[in-house]
Amino acid sequence: MPSVAVKLYSVFFKFLLKHRLQNRIHSPSDESGAFGVTSRPEETVAAANPSFADGVATKDIHIDPFTSLTVRIFLPESALNPPELDSKAQGKSRVKAGLNRPDPDVGSANNLRRNSMPGLVNAEFSNVEEKRRNSCGNEAGADGLGLKSDGVVYRGYAPSMENCRKLPVMLQFHGGGFVSGSCDSVANDLFCRRIAKLCDVIVLAVGYRLAPESRYPAAFEDGLKVLHWLGKQANLAECSKSMGNGRVNGGEMRKADGRRHIVDTFGASMVEPWLAAHGNPSRCVLLGVSCGANIADFVSRKAVEAGKLLDPVKVVAQVLMYPFVVGSVPTHSEIKLANSYFYDKAMCMLAWKLFLPEEDFSLDHPAANPLVPGRGPALKLMPPTLTIVAEHDWMRDRAIAYSEELRKVNVDAPVLEYKDAVHDFATLDMLLKTPQAQACAEDIAIWVKKYISLRGHEFSY
């Protein structure tokens, strides 16, 4: 059973959340515009930190001029390491150097890999140090990316775009019942930092529009819009790179060509430098928390339908953490745990009334029930799906049933159930530092690395 502290906090949490939801139902919302909101005044927000003070650099980007859609980028410090050498070349160099035996002076496998080519050790470490110096606003790197303006350099990590390490990209959708939460909240910031470090990925936390200001399908459209934006960034980066490869006079490179970049009508760079230098969208993972899992599953479906139209973006896996699902025919857990901790059935019904259009409200709405027929595309086309469920979550059984349907058509869809856990156990502010939350993040990293790692390096990425 959950601890006494969790039970007491759950009572306070439900009282406060119920009060807020009822106020939003009874007070008319301003639906005059589609700009929307992505955060509530009562939300505790963590400021973006563009330097690697704690191992992860962050920055906020408003990616849509017509809505409030924002993205917070989490770049792990591992991106500053030199790119991995080809495994075959690495093996040959080890044989040449006689380094097949463990080196007593090397404390870790990573150090052993760095020392496998002795002639490159100093160069590699010097490159790392140079990149670390650039993280405080190196002028050459910033100028080449259009980050320098009137002598003022962006005081954050500015990649040099040369010999950068490419990391997979993970789109993360926060929870909150579609009506609360934000991509820059303290809890979501800490969770994304943890995932970025453990999975060794660039995390894009999506600040989608909240209900009731922006009802269905606003949040789902925002999730898909970010996936398209990621593909646009990859294409812009490639165009910018090709512009810098212009040659004149029989192959001589002009110095100015290396500093070209694509700008908008205001002269601002359209290429996000962190993604251009370090992002590999061909290894893209979707991770959704609670209602964010519903968005992630929707985006996965649309990615399957789009196919090669999304190139170079390729969704290789998705993680659904205690999905925010419901249906007209109750399951065993929906009956037995209707008054569960933190998010009980009554409060979730209030959230669905705020999110779904009044004229289209149904517990079997495609956004609410993953088991309704005709959602499309065929389940056998869905990417590998890891489902996280909690023992004391009333939505548990329906999430497990959806995973079972995926397994029936041979999709890799394991379920990890955590005993004595409650809904939001790995992402709620007061539970983030518990052993269960840490174990859950580690389990996600182990599974995800099967699909984002380079072939042959699944467990050493």
Side-chain angles (χ1 to χ4, degrees), residues 74 172 183 187-197 203 205:
F74 294 80
Q172 189 264 355
C183 65
N188 198 69
D189 185 84
L190 181 56
F191 173 73
C192 288
R193 287 175 181 275
R194 177 179 289 170
I195 290 295
K197 291 178 184 178
V203 176

Side-chain angles (χ1 to χ4, degrees), residues 43-335:
E43 198 76 54
T44 305
V45 174
N49 182 6
S51 63
F52 296 92
D54 56 351
V56 178
T58 59
K59 74 163 72 168
D60 296 328
I61 303 177
H62 181 207
I63 67 172
D64 185 9
F66 303 105
T67 69
S68 57
L69 175 61
T70 58
V71 169
R72 171 163 287 192
I73 303 179
F74 294 80
L75 181 68
E77 196 170 17
S78 59
L80 303 184
N81 295 335
E84 289 287 337
L85 297 172
D86 181 77
S87 57
K88 292 183 179 179
Q90 194 177 44
K92 288 180 182 178
S93 64
R94 283 190 181 184
V95 173
K96 259 187 176 181
L99 290 176
N100 286 325
R101 300 185 306 274
D103 188 346
D105 295 329
V106 178
S108 66
N110 288 333
N111 287 335
L112 181 58
R113 283 198 292 272
R114 288 194 192 102
N115 290 336
S116 63
M117 293 189 71
L120 295 180
V121 172
N122 293 334
E124 288 181 359
F125 281 114
S126 63
N127 287 338
V128 175
E129 290 303 317
E130 182 64 26
K131 289 185 179 183
R132 291 183 190 278
R133 286 195 292 272
N134 286 343
S135 67
C136 296
N138 177 272
E139 290 194 9
D143 188 32
L145 289 166
L147 300 176
K148 185 179 178 184
S149 177
D150 297 329
V152 179
V153 180
Y154 171 69
R155 293 299 171 185
Y157 171 58
S160 64
M161 301 292 290
E162 295 179 4
N163 200 30
C164 288
R165 184 179 180 217
K166 295 288 186 178
L167 299 179
V169 179
M170 176 181 287
L171 267 60
Q172 189 264 355
F173 304 94
H174 66 80
F178 297 109
V179 297
S180 61
S182 67
C183 65
D184 56 359
S185 68
V186 171
N188 198 69
D189 185 84
L190 181 56
F191 173 73
C192 288
R193 287 175 181 275
R194 177 179 289 170
I195 290 295
K197 291 178 184 178
L198 290 175
C199 295
D200 200 17
V201 297
I202 299 175
V203 176
L204 302 184
V206 181
Y208 54 85
R209 289 171 289 170
L210 302 176
E213 291 84 357
S214 304
R215 292 177 179 263
Y216 174 87
F220 289 71
E221 291 175 345
D222 287 351
L224 185 59
K225 193 175 294 183
V226 173
L227 192 68
H228 284 288
W229 175 81
L230 178 61
K232 180 181 177 181
Q233 283 295 312
N235 290 322
L236 286 175
E238 192 62 30
C239 290
S240 184
K241 183 179 177 181
S242 63
M243 287 171 61
N245 287 333
R247 296 182 180 276
V248 295
N249 298 330
E252 292 183 4
M253 177 81 69
R254 288 189 304 190
K255 187 175 181 181
D257 287 342
R259 295 190 176 183
R260 289 185 180 178
H261 54 275
I262 300 175
V263 298
D264 60 16
T265 54
F266 298 97
S269 176
M270 295 178 64
V271 181
E272 166 47 47
W274 289 5
L275 290 177
H278 299 291
N280 182 0
S282 66
R283 291 181 285 160
C284 180
V285 178
L286 307 182
L287 185 149
V289 177
S290 189
C291 66
N294 300 40
I295 301 175
D297 189 63
F298 169 83
V299 174
S300 289
R301 290 174 178 274
K302 292 301 180 182
V304 169
E305 290 176 353
K308 292 185 178 180
L309 294 177
L310 272 177
D311 284 348
V313 177
K314 181 175 176 59
V315 177
V316 297
Q318 66 172 343
V319 180
L320 309 180
M321 300 182 68
Y322 21 84
F324 196 68
V325 291
V326 71
S328 58
V329 180
T331 63
H332 178 69
S333 65
E334 289 172 354
I335 297 173

Side-chain angles (χ1 to χ4, degrees), residues 359-376:
E359 67 278 4
D360 197 24
F361 180 82
S362 170
L363 295 183
D364 285 329
H365 191 283
N369 188 351
L371 300 175
V372 293
R375 289 181 78 206

